[in-house]
Amino acid sequence: MRIGELSRRSGVPVPTIKYYLREGLLAAGELTSPNQARYGPGHERRLRLIRALLDVGGLPLAAIGEVLRAMDDPGQPVHKVLGAAADRVTPTGGEAAGPDLEDAREEVAELVRRRGWQADERGTAAESLAGVLCALRRAGHGGYIDLLDVYADAAEPIARADLDYVQRRVAREDLVESVVVGTVLGEAMFGALRRLAHIDVSFRRFESPEHLSGPVGPVGPVGPVGSVGPVGSVGPVGPVEPVEPGGSGGGGEVAGGAGGTRGAEGSDAAEEPGGTEGSGGADGGAAGA
């Protein structure tokens, strides 16, 4: 494919692809003319990896270049590639040398020994952890350090799951790429999951209806029902109003109306036989025919 198609398929602009080519992050394509080259699926795959490490993993281009060079070196063991990726992800520095940092380093070394981890006690990750311990104490939250083993208990199964995923790959290219992706993007994934868990636990503890309303207290006893008082006496009935003489006329009108209704019903009934006779004549005519 030409560079324009590579750009469309990968989502990376052409000027950016040319920059990656100049910086050695992306291998050159196969020349088809003095100023044109053909690119393959491997170039598209590498571009997607670079963008993932840059946009999601947060690695600077210089660090990405170092990781990619370790990936492309066939003499590098997979464990070394993992270390190269981890070293680029882990922040270092920021803590001045002194007694506090030395104490923190010793705490980290003791943690590594206590858990039997096969890790360098003065490696990049250990130095980063020592710096975190110093920062916690300086911020007045040294008690957070008591959670070290809780964090370590959570980290071990995650690390095993990461490497289980890596070992499914057979080809070295797939293997080392999955190591880098699992290290860099796995770090971002775990951080996002931890934040989601924080939101959930925080809501359940501080914002749930049970927390806001508090526990419902016991219902108090019901008091005794009061006695019913005596029924009062009924007063005298008032005088009955006389009925107007013309009041019954309405009844006569109703009766007359009923009579009129009956007359109408009689006329309806009288018309029905005539209709029947007519139909009988028609039947007779049909029979005669």
Side-chain angles (χ1 to χ4, degrees):
M1 72 184 87
R2 298 290 178 85
I3 193 169
E5 184 180 354
L6 178 62
S7 173
R8 288 190 296 273
R9 292 171 67 94
S10 65
V12 180
V14 170
T16 304
I17 295 176
K18 291 181 177 180
Y19 174 76
Y20 293 163
L21 288 167
R22 289 195 303 271
E23 295 297 315
L25 299 175
L26 186 67
E30 179 187 355
L31 286 176
T32 57
S33 68
N35 59 352
Q36 288 188 345
R38 181 183 294 114
Y39 302 92
H43 292 89
E44 181 184 349
R45 178 173 176 173
R46 177 56 61 91
L47 281 174
R48 293 184 185 279
L49 176 62
I50 293 171
R51 298 308 302 185
L53 298 178
L54 180 67
D55 298 337
V56 182
L59 268 63
L61 283 176
I64 292 174
E66 294 177 12
V67 172
L68 295 179
R69 282 190 289 275
M71 287 177 57
D72 294 337
D73 184 358
Q76 283 277 24
V78 174
H79 181 66
K80 294 294 184 181
V81 177
L82 173 62
D87 288 349
R88 300 307 174 273
V89 173
T90 306
T92 57
E95 291 298 326
D100 292 341
L101 183 57
E102 287 303 318
D103 290 344
R105 284 170 173 166
E106 183 54 36
E107 285 181 275
V108 173
E110 198 279 327
L111 171 73
V112 171
R113 291 191 294 266
R114 182 172 70 249
R115 302 194 71 92
W117 286 351
Q118 302 300 309
D120 186 358
E121 297 176 0
R122 288 298 181 95
T124 304
E127 285 291 295
S128 176
L129 180 56
V132 171
L133 301 188
C134 285
L136 284 170
R137 288 198 174 95
R138 190 169 58 250
H141 290 276
Y144 214 86
I145 299 172
D146 296 339
L147 302 179
L148 267 178
D149 279 296
V150 176
Y151 274 66
D153 288 340
E156 286 180 351
I158 292 173
R160 285 193 291 270
D162 287 342
L163 273 298
D164 287 345
Y165 174 81
V166 168
Q167 286 186 307
R168 299 176 197 167
R169 273 57 184 165
V170 178
R172 185 186 184 278
E173 181 183 4
D174 293 339
L175 190 67
V176 295
E177 183 175 301
S178 62
V179 164
V180 172
V181 169
T183 303
V184 179
L185 301 188
E187 189 89 1
M189 181 170 69
F190 182 73
L193 285 170
R194 181 170 177 261
R195 289 190 291 274
L196 285 171
H198 277 164
I199 293 170
D200 174 68
V201 175
S202 174
F203 174 80
R204 293 176 187 276
R205 291 192 180 183
F206 305 121
E207 297 294 334
S208 63
E210 292 81 2
H211 173 79
L212 295 177
S213 60
V216 179
V219 179
V222 179
V225 179
S227 58
V228 180
V231 178
S233 59
V234 179
V237 179
V240 178
E241 294 291 335
V243 179
E244 293 293 335
S248 59
E253 292 173 359
V254 172
T261 302
R262 284 194 296 270
E265 291 174 352
S267 63
D268 290 340
E271 290 177 358
E272 289 179 1
T276 303
E277 289 172 0
S279 62
D283 291 342

